Amino acid sequence: MPAQITHLSKSIKYALTSAAAASLAVSLNVSAQEEEPAAEETGPVEKIAIVGTRSAPRSVGDSAVPLDIIGAEEFAAQGSTDMMSMMSTVVPSFNVNDQPINDASTLVRPANLRGLASDHTLVLVNGKRRHRSAVITFLGGSLSDGAQGPDISNIPAAALKQVEVLRDGAAAQYGSDAIAGVINFALKDDADGGMIEARWGETMEGDGDTLQVAGNIGLPLTDDGFANFSMEYREADPTSRSVQRDDAAALAAAGNPDIENPAQIWGTPEIKYDFKLVGNFGLDLGNDNEAYMFTNWAEREVEGGFYYRNPHTRGGVYDGGIEPADLNGDGEIDEGEGHQLLLVGDITGDMSGNCPNDIRVGDNVLDNPRYIDEVANNPNCWAFNEMFPGGFTPRFGGVVTDASIVMGTKGYTESEWFYDISIGMGYSQIEYKIKNTLNPSLGPDTPTEFAPGTASQLDKNFNLDVSKEFSFDSLYEPLAFAAGIEYRRETFKQEAGDPASFAVGPLAFNPATGTSQGFGIGSNGFPGIKPEAAGEWSRGNWAGYVDVEAYLTENLMIGAAARYEDFTDFGSTFNGKLSARLQMTDTFAIRGAVSTGFKAPTVGQSNVINVTTAFVGTQLQDQALLPPTNPIAALKGGEPLEPEDSVAYSFGLVGEFENGLYLTIDYFNVEVTDRLSRTSAIPLTQDDIDSLLAQGIRDATSFSSVVYFTNDFDTTTQGIDVVMNYSNEVFGGDMKYSLAYNWTDTTVDDFNPDNINLAKVEMLEDNLPAHRATYTMNWSKEDFRALMRLNYFGDYYEDHVDAGGGLDIYPGAELTVDMEVGYFITDDFQIAGGAKNLFDNEPDLNPFAGVVGSKYPTTSPMGINGGFYYIRGVYTF
């Protein structure tokens, strides 16, 4: 080990740790995603990571666990404009797909690291825990159903110095949620200079126009500090990759003139505005002490589509039931046969209208003389065909607000103990909105636009961390010791929507008579949060950890960590981790780790009440999401939630060759027991509905089924990560090659078939592609540069629209090409243009496109929009 690395002075250690939280001391590594700064004659500049170890920084490849370091340049040189998509482009084991119609997941998309749920990854900013989003993914493509993770899309790329991705279980080091790994966003800390960037792009279909303006500036904070500010503004038009639904096409062919084409939009939602601000501050207090603070504020408004409501068959709005009939002429009335009837309401108030309940809709009810005479021209009777004759498709969205602040101080004591003490607070709020819909129970008096309520998450954190090196004659280097305590308090809150969004109107259940006219209750598609479902729930937890790392010999390093946590709502947990690295030759080293982990259920998951409209089989269905301790959920098998537990191990090979080639190959295996998910839809009987009504849940007559969160299955996820870097001279310029490959395989080891159907099992196992890879070539010469990236996505499985009803899709593998070229007009001004998915490759066609109108499989890992081209200009100063 080189002496300048082995024996770092106290002043060098302090300078390195001043860029990030000292609770996470530093190590060195490089990944396939790294864009290194310009090399000096003596060699490339090494980047410093603050995750994975608390020992002193070392040379490239010395980490005992897999670690990616992604430079800020990697985020700039691609077509994606949101952080979720940027991460998935440069880290193959990080997956995120479009969420065109998926309730709150449309507002905050769930992302997956190493094939696990979105809240199995711990997110840090400057080494400090990032707060959760208020969004619970009620529908998350099975893998992330019920997850409540952080919203990293609120972090602007302009604010980043680098991103570190620790691909290893780390709950023993960093706490709950770090089952899949840790992602740390390191913010810029320059005291001078800056940049301004403007970019515009659109898809090759001509939609999805996106405008983004970003900037960063570094300022001195007195003579001994910095104040670094970043901002980003973005807006994006929606896209549509839709075909006309079969049922809508049939209605139009039958003469209904009010059918939109397409009736239902599948595409990325409209981003009306997306504004982000970040500030990062540091001040040298002298005597090896520093004060720091970083803060962010972000707000965006998103609006997307929902499912089409057929004007003949949508339950609770148009569907009046089935009139038995022998339609196939076999002399018998079979289940499913019969004439579709129209739902008609009596709006007289005293039920004196004598309204019909036997009008057959036929091919087009608008042409039915009985409908015209007895409903449309009858002031005593009402059908929603009078308001929405062609049916309707709600537009769902909301305003997402996010803010956080962390402040603290760190440095060295006279006895050379390093300390870091900090407090932080993070807040996330979702204000839901829905329009072009109705509250059926209100009849003709219903509004068509609602504010269904608000959800918020407030996290408060306190950290005290200390570390020191101790010398022992028996050790090759001083033993690195770290310890700390943490207190965290989490609060989840639901606030009621506007009264019309949850009102039980006269066309619904009448408690005085015990009867109902059969109309649904609440804003259709996303009923408002009722006052009895509103509330605030909190929990706290204390944690303490110890972490040691030592070189027993020049070539053998071992590390150990242990962490104890105590939660106010489910008790305590203890987790540990062992890691080791052995340098076998000058070229090759082996490394490995084994750890236990856990993820505590959130207070939101334990208490949230929601009504979700989901596609089940071939029909839309209103599902009541109840707390697992609710009497009805308990009757259906619900139990209080428990932590998810994990056992993970990894081992790998690191190769650093004399010609500059860098190679790592790592195998990982993560067993998770008692995994938390949303159950499959459990049908409600009339007795169940009566029991809910007795509890005061007056909209229970609208429910078809119940779902709840449960610890109901176990999985084993294994895989291999391969990372390679190489550089040489090509055509008189510098060429850098990067390859990153990931193979991930998940097996559902055990599950409850009463709650989780086989389609969901297959989604858990195969919805993410087993094989993903990116290969990047980055060439530069003087003022010109060019980048090309190949993206490979393996085949996968999709249970189309989570129906669980036989809509199975098996799309094949795909290859896309990204390209960007740039030119420095002056030393300070650069223009660039490029394309994401240059050749406009599209996913395989959806064989069930006519069912709900989606042209492509909606969970395609490459996205559904095809190619996207863009131009950008960057001015640096």
Side-chain angles (χ1 to χ4, degrees):
M1 187 66 58
Q4 67 269 29
I5 296 295
T6 304
H7 304 292
L8 290 168
S9 70
K10 174 180 173 181
S11 60
I12 293 177
K13 293 178 189 174
Y14 178 72
L16 291 170
T17 54
S18 66
S23 61
L24 311 169
V26 292
S27 69
L28 286 172
N29 211 330
V30 171
S31 78
Q33 288 78 40
E34 178 183 350
E35 285 292 322
E36 295 176 347
E40 299 177 0
E41 294 297 325
T42 56
V45 176
E46 295 172 343
K47 292 189 174 181
I48 298 169
I50 67 168
V51 295
T53 177
R54 288 183 168 89
S55 101
R58 299 183 181 279
S59 63
V60 172
D62 273 3
S63 173
V65 290
L67 184 64
D68 297 329
I69 300 182
I70 308 159
E73 314 83 66
E74 279 289 307
F75 294 104
Q78 58 173 290
S80 300
T81 56
D82 66 283
M83 185 57 63
M84 294 280 196
S85 298
M86 289 178 181
M87 289 288 295
S88 67
T89 298
V90 296
V91 182
S93 58
F94 186 93
N95 288 274
V96 63
N97 51 34
D98 296 322
Q99 299 283 333
I101 300 177
N102 237 357
D103 267 15
S105 300
T106 301
L107 307 179
V108 178
R109 295 186 296 161
N112 315 102
L113 181 66
R114 279 189 159 182
L116 295 170
S118 58
D119 55 2
H120 286 154
T121 300
L122 178 63
V123 176
L124 311 174
V125 176
N126 277 358
K128 302 297 182 180
R129 177 185 283 264
R130 175 79 174 170
H131 60 278
R132 298 185 191 279
S133 166
V135 165
I136 300 174
T137 54
F138 303 122
L139 298 172
S142 293
L143 181 59
S144 290
D145 282 355
Q148 188 186 3
D151 180 8
I152 67 173
S153 62
N154 288 316
I155 302 172
L160 297 178
K161 179 169 63 176
Q162 64 185 38
V163 177
E164 300 139 13
V165 182
L166 171 63
R167 295 177 277 111
D168 193 63
Q173 295 169 294
Y174 304 120
S176 179
D177 304 346
I179 288 178
V182 179
I183 299 176
N184 179 61
F185 293 89
L187 302 178
K188 290 179 180 177
D189 54 6
D190 301 309
D192 55 20
M195 55 80 70
I196 299 174
E197 178 189 54
R199 71 165 67 197
W200 173 88
E202 71 174 17
T203 72
M204 295 181 184
E205 294 289 323
D207 57 6
D209 285 31
T210 301
L211 173 67
Q212 178 174 293
V213 179
N216 171 265
I217 187 170
L219 301 170
L221 185 62
T222 73
D223 293 334
D224 300 309
F226 68 88
N228 194 277
F229 299 94
S230 304
M231 64 77 61
E232 179 183 293
Y233 175 81
R234 179 171 64 114
E235 56 185 44
D237 292 341
T239 66
S240 175
R241 301 297 178 265
S242 312
V243 298
Q244 184 63 302
R245 290 172 49 134
D246 292 342
D247 59 344
L251 287 164
N256 189 319
D258 298 294
I259 306 299
E260 297 287 341
N261 188 8
Q264 181 174 319
I265 302 297
W266 289 93
T268 49
E270 177 185 5
I271 300 174
K272 296 187 174 183
Y273 65 89
D274 184 1
F275 191 66
K276 308 165 190 174
L277 285 173
V278 170
N280 190 27
F281 309 89
L283 181 64
D284 187 353
L285 302 177
N287 298 319
D288 289 338
N289 294 290
E290 176 188 352
Y292 60 88
M293 181 179 76
F294 53 92
T295 183
N296 84 276
W297 177 84
E299 183 177 288
R300 68 179 181 272
E301 183 173 358
V302 181
E303 182 180 286
F306 257 22
Y307 291 109
Y308 170 63
R309 272 62 175 165
N310 186 295
H312 288 175
T313 60
R314 175 55 172 127
V317 185
Y318 299 103
D319 181 6
I322 301 293
E323 178 187 57
D326 179 19
L327 295 184
N328 62 12
D330 64 359
E332 296 183 3
I333 296 175
D334 299 320
E335 183 179 352
E337 288 193 45
H339 297 284
Q340 176 68 52
L341 301 178
L342 181 67
L343 182 60
V344 179
D346 187 322
I347 57 174
T348 60
D350 59 1
M351 298 298 291
S352 62
N354 297 316
C355 298
N357 60 8
D358 59 348
I359 294 179
R360 298 174 179 178
V361 299
D363 293 332
N364 179 12
V365 74
L366 302 180
D367 292 338
N368 188 321
R370 290 195 61 198
Y371 164 76
I372 296 172
D373 295 337
E374 300 178 40
V375 180
N377 292 320
N378 183 349
N380 296 327
C381 302
W382 172 260
F384 277 100
N385 307 75
E386 301 174 65
M387 179 179 288
F388 289 107
F392 61 97
T393 305
R395 297 287 295 173
F396 175 76
V399 176
V400 181
T401 304
D402 190 278
S404 69
I405 184 169
V406 175
M407 60 182 66
T409 182
K410 59 188 177 181
Y412 282 91
T413 67
E414 292 184 357
S415 56
E416 297 194 349
W417 278 91
F418 186 88
Y419 71 91
D420 184 341
I421 183 169
S422 68
I423 57 173
M425 181 170 64
Y427 179 75
S428 171
Q429 176 184 279
I430 313 295
E431 181 184 351
Y432 297 113
K433 296 183 177 183
I434 191 168
K435 66 182 183 180
N436 198 46
T437 188
L438 45 84
N439 181 339
S441 70
L442 296 176
D445 296 326
T446 179
T448 58
E449 188 169 340
F450 303 87
T454 300
S456 61
Q457 176 81 18
L458 176 65
D459 290 359
K460 301 175 183 178
N461 292 276
F462 165 79
N463 288 90
L464 172 62
D465 303 274
V466 296
S467 60
K468 187 176 182 179
E469 292 186 345
F470 295 91
S471 297
F472 296 93
D473 293 339
S474 57
L475 298 179
Y476 180 74
E477 292 183 16
L479 179 144
F481 172 84
I485 57 173
E486 177 184 18
Y487 176 74
R488 187 168 74 254
R489 186 162 184 84
E490 304 176 59
T491 300
F492 179 77
K493 183 178 181 180
Q494 280 199 152
E495 298 176 61
D498 67 75
S501 69
F502 58 80
V504 182
L507 299 187
F509 180 76
N510 185 339
T513 63
T515 61
S516 172
Q517 296 198 53
F519 285 84
I521 299 166
S523 43
N524 191 265
F526 198 91
I529 299 169
K530 302 182 295 295
E532 55 266 32
E536 183 175 301
W537 304 272
S538 298
R539 72 133 177 258
N541 78 288
W542 283 96
Y545 75 88
V546 175
D547 194 328
V548 295
E549 190 172 297
Y551 270 77
L552 302 183
T553 69
E554 180 180 1
N555 297 319
L556 176 62
M557 183 273 289
I558 62 170
R563 188 181 187 95
Y564 174 84
E565 295 209 25
D566 184 71
F567 291 78
T568 57
D569 52 357
F570 66 78
S572 60
T573 181
F574 180 85
N575 291 275
K577 181 172 184 175
L578 295 173
S579 59
R581 184 186 184 281
L582 174 64
Q583 188 73 38
M584 297 184 297
T585 68
D586 290 342
T587 300
F588 291 105
I590 57 174
R591 62 188 180 186
V594 59
S595 64
T596 61
F598 72 104
K599 190 197 82 65
T602 70
V603 287
Q605 291 166 338
S606 297
N607 296 282
V608 67
I609 298 175
N610 180 261
V611 178
T612 297
T613 301
F615 206 86
V616 179
T618 59
Q619 297 291 329
L620 283 181
Q621 187 180 96
D622 291 334
Q623 300 174 350
L625 173 67
L626 301 175
T629 53
N630 178 277
I632 294 298
L635 182 66
K636 300 297 184 181
E639 297 178 351
L641 298 179
E642 298 177 355
E644 300 173 82
D645 296 313
S646 69
V647 176
Y649 60 88
S650 64
F651 59 86
L653 174 73
V654 180
E656 298 179 80
F657 298 85
E658 291 184 359
N659 63 358
L661 175 65
Y662 175 76
L663 167 69
T664 66
I665 304 174
D666 291 279
Y667 170 81
F668 64 90
N669 186 294
V670 185
E671 296 180 5
V672 187
T673 57
D674 295 327
R675 282 189 63 170
L676 188 147
S677 182
R678 194 180 62 108
T679 67
S680 299
I682 305 171
L684 288 174
T685 67
Q686 186 59 49
D687 288 342
D688 296 331
I689 294 173
D690 291 341
S691 179
L692 287 169
L693 292 170
Q695 294 179 42
I697 303 176
R698 297 179 61 201
D699 56 347
T701 54
S702 295
F703 303 163
S704 301
S705 58
V706 64
V707 296
Y708 54 85
F709 296 134
T710 179
N711 301 94
D712 234 8
F713 67 103
D714 305 332
T715 60
T716 297
T717 300
Q718 62 177 337
I720 294 174
D721 290 315
V722 178
V723 167
M724 285 194 296
N725 287 338
Y726 182 68
S727 61
N728 65 357
E729 183 177 316
V730 176
F731 301 125
D734 296 324
M735 176 73 85
K736 298 176 183 178
Y737 310 87
S738 301
L739 171 68
Y741 163 79
N742 168 257
W743 166 69
T744 297
D745 175 75
T746 294
T747 301
V748 176
D749 303 317
D750 186 41
F751 69 97
N752 182 350
D754 293 333
N755 291 341
I756 297 176
N757 58 38
L758 293 178
K760 185 165 186 173
V761 170
E762 192 165 2
M763 284 285 283
L764 289 163
E765 293 183 335
D766 299 321
N767 183 234
L768 296 180
H771 301 275
R772 271 209 60 198
T774 62
Y775 175 63
T776 304
M777 295 182 291
N778 195 347
W779 181 81
S780 61
K781 181 181 180 181
E782 297 177 348
D783 294 329
F784 182 80
R785 63 174 186 80
L787 178 145
M788 184 179 75
R789 179 182 294 112
L790 304 179
N791 308 287
Y792 175 78
F793 306 88
D795 53 13
Y796 61 101
Y797 163 77
E798 176 178 303
D799 173 29
H800 193 44
V801 294
D802 290 333
L807 304 183
D808 300 317
I809 308 176
Y810 295 90
E814 300 288 351
L815 181 69
T816 65
V817 179
D818 302 339
M819 182 169 287
E820 180 176 293
V821 294
Y823 182 74
F824 281 90
I825 297 177
T826 68
D827 291 343
D828 301 323
F829 183 65
Q830 176 192 182
I831 59 171
K836 181 179 181 180
N837 192 354
L838 175 66
F839 300 108
D840 196 23
N841 190 17
E842 299 171 338
D844 292 347
L845 293 176
N846 173 14
F848 308 107
V851 177
V852 290
S854 176
K855 186 176 181 180
Y856 306 112
T858 58
T859 61
S860 169
M862 62 181 284
I864 62 175
N865 287 324
F868 181 87
Y869 60 86
Y870 61 94
I871 57 173
R872 63 188 184 96
V874 184
Y875 175 72
T876 57
F877 55 91

